[in-house]
Amino acid sequence: LIDKENNKIDFKNYKIFILIQIIFYYFSVLFFYSKLSKSIDIKLSKIITIILMINPFLTQWHITMLTESIFLSLLIILLSFAINCKNNFNFFWIGLIIGILYMQRTIAILYPLVFLFFIFFNEGNAQKKILNFSAIMFGFFIILILIGFHNLKRADIFYFTPMQSKTDLQTYLEPNILSKSKNLSNLEAKIFIKKRSQKILENNEFDLNKEKDKIIFFNIIRNKSLENIFENKIVTVKIVLKNYFHSMLLNPVQVYYSTKYEKWIDFKNSKDHSFWFKIRIVITPIFFVLSAMGFFYSFKKLDLKLNLLIIISCLYFFGISCWLGNTRYFTPSVLFMSIYFSIALNEFNLKLKKIN
């Protein structure tokens, strides 16, 4: 996608890639509909499909490369395979898809555990359920092993967790903890962290051109961040809870304004932010209330196993990623909530028909 000669984005290839993302997403939704319509009311299936296709909280990501769009498409395909999933081959495919999800976002690392609840309510004895979960883990581990051996061949070290994930705590959480606990400005906290990192490098004489040294260095950084977090538990909990709360404020224009403004602070101080903040304050509770109503009705509409998978998946992705405080990371949960939102709309439609 990059023109190496001019060091600029090749917009022709960019547009092609975006088109592929969009086609892949709508294909996944139609595939989901083909499975869902065979297990629940077909009119409800159509409403769910339409909502997934037009929901601006989801569709906005199609114009960005390699972000939520592909991840959402894979989640939808995963749900499709979970519908009436009975044999080990289907569970193996689920494991493979989770592995590919992990390649997109490391937050999927523990997602196989969510399927324990799904399998527990599945038909069959204990032996069959163990085989079902083993099939998932087998498919998942194939992807992890391929990643590990690729890194082993490339850098002479076997690992499958991205190095960037080892510094997430230091990048996104620790500066706020230091600011609150040591009464520092955000800049002073970042300078403190930078000096600490330089001291670690000097004491250990790491060569960051060597991937082995870089991984060890990043592991030490992660451990230092964890030490700081555990030393300031109350401050950390307050910051994390605030971030969780902020992440739930739905933002249908996040992608658009992230390209319009170079820095977030510029957008925050703009009239655009003020205008859309008021709209977000209105649409967020509406979406949540309707989704909650849909969840209540879902026990009469959806298969129990599928319903549990949807709600636990929603909670899983919220819990594992929304501590960052960015509304972007709430998107997978919005995908699952959209199903409940659709069920609520369907119920309103049925009641209106009775009245008329």
Side-chain angles (χ1 to χ4, degrees), residues 25-26 50-63 72 250-256 276 283 287 331 334 338 341:
Y25 178 79
Y26 286 108
I50 291 169
I51 293 299
L52 291 177
M53 285 183 167
I54 66 172
N55 188 336
F57 308 124
L58 306 176
T59 57
Q60 64 172 322
W61 296 102
H62 299 329
I63 60 171
L72 293 173
L250 301 176
N251 189 354
V253 291
Q254 183 171 1
V255 173
Y256 175 75
W276 278 102
I283 61 177
F287 182 79
T331 306
V334 171
S338 295
F341 180 84

Side-chain angles (χ1 to χ4, degrees), residues 11-12 18 53 57 71 75 83 88 140 147-148 153 163 165 237 242 263 284 309 314 332 335 343 350 352 355:
F11 283 99
K12 183 179 179 181
I18 295 300
M53 285 183 167
F57 308 124
F71 193 82
L75 280 176
I83 297 171
N88 287 330
F140 183 57
I147 296 171
K153 184 178 180 181
M163 284 187 284
S165 65
V237 169
K242 181 182 177 182
K263 296 180 180 179
T284 296
L309 178 62
C314 180
L335 172 69
I343 293 172
L350 292 174
L352 284 173
I355 293 172

